[in-house]
Amino acid sequence: MGTVPVATPRARIFISYKRCDPDQTIAAEIYRALSQQHEVFIDQTMLVGTPWAQRIEDELRRADFLITFLSEHSVASEMVLGEIETAHRLAKERNGPPVILPVRLAYREPFKYPLSAYLNPINWASWDSPADTPRLIDELSRAIAGGALAGRGQPAQSQPPLISSAVPQPLPSAQPPARRVTLDLPEGTIDTQSKFYVLRPTDAIAREAINRQGVTITIKGPRQMGKSSLLIRTTDAATRLGKRVAFLDFQLFDKTALSSADVFFRQFCSWMSDVLELEDRTEECWKAPLGNSQRCARYVGKYLLKELDGPLVLAMDEVESIFETDYRTDFFSMLRSWHNSRATQPVWKQLDLALVTSTEPYQLIENLNQSPFNVGEVIEMSDFTLANVTDLNQRHGSPLNEAEVQKLMALLNGHPYLVRRALYLVADGRMSATDLFAHATDDRGPFGDHLRYHLFRLNNKEDLIRGLQQVIRNHSCQDEEVFFRLRGAGLVRREGREDMPRCQLYADYFREYLHV
């Protein structure tokens, strides 16, 4: 996260939390304690009518530190994630503040992706009961003065508890279904053994492809479509076939790597070596008077593949993380050359490539003959069908009747994450179906955290706001690049010649908040 800022008499501190207990109670106590010496922002102090998305962005830009409270509730909060993402991005841009200070509130589970990408390398503080509050205040004060938190970063691989209180507690009027089922939390990547995973036609395509040797697979789609879950299931199938797998999440490349082609290509090779538990020989390889792409190809083809002497799947998630770099064409052209080399060099037939992206790559790679995204199996993720939603409702114990399933489909248009969240809330007795639909667009309703996250991400992006307004108002986006960015964010879709909001929920919410 960069260097720790020099301590000043009054540091600027941003407190990130979810409005539930114990989170909001502890956040308020920390705010009162630290405000005696520092300038502390917490959203409880915002006046009614404040443009909150702009205010949060401004406060994060001013902050030296982000204190984020992480409980079983908040680890599933998209707004908490959004604030951490923003702080991480700002720190990379500046190679400095804000420094993230995570606090675990009676929560010991390893962080799940994508939180793990930001927080695993960072030390954390812990709190288990009110008796720990004085110690926590002291520990945070010392960290702000230049010290370090006590807890060590967590391993990247994790599984959440099957049942969590990451959503509102049951309402008094809510009636749990007669037949209780063990539920999976709707957030994050779905376990390969989960009974709530919905098989779509894309699964069969990916499975058939990975059964072959020497394949290139691209999985495309907006966020929260299940791309990472499909990638994990595909690599799991590859492992059972006896293939080695190197899984790289490109979000973990830091600013230094992203700003330098030389650093990026070297780290890419070192990372593969580490994941495959092979000796890192990048220093030796980089002595050759070659370009970065040539060195990298030499490292993979003449060292890694020959050392493994067997099939390897190179699985790359979130590859759009490098789409804005000036070396993206070199990197993706290199991957395309590896794909092409299978026809003439037997060693490259040992390598499978699997790439996941939520951004339309054709807009960023001018020469399609140099792109790895238009060869092999190109898998476009799709929303759930009515049959999928009906089946998933049954797996949740049928919390919705047939008419309510139809109503849910009309509201969400099969949005995979929102469908799973809606069924989870009603199946677990936390909300009645009537209240789910009545409060669907409320800021504190069943989808409020998700909707506020999208609104927060749109802040200060006038071109995207204008494009979304056009889609809602005219079913057309005048700027094709803006449309693809909105589609990558999961906000819009295209039906024939018409550009539409992704679902009715988005149309209703953004029509109000963007004053369409």
Side-chain angles (χ1 to χ4, degrees), residues 1 13 72 166 191 207 213 226 231 290 317 352 355 389 410 436:
M1 287 302 300
I13 301 167
E72 62 175 351
D191 186 271
R207 181 59 185 268
Q213 187 60 52
L231 178 62
L290 301 170
D317 203 0
D352 296 334
L355 304 96
V389 177
L436 177 85

Side-chain angles (χ1 to χ4, degrees), residues 383-397:
D383 286 320
F384 290 163
T385 63
L386 177 60
N388 293 147
V389 177
T390 300
D391 175 50
L392 196 55
N393 180 56
Q394 293 171 351
R395 298 189 209 182
H396 281 77

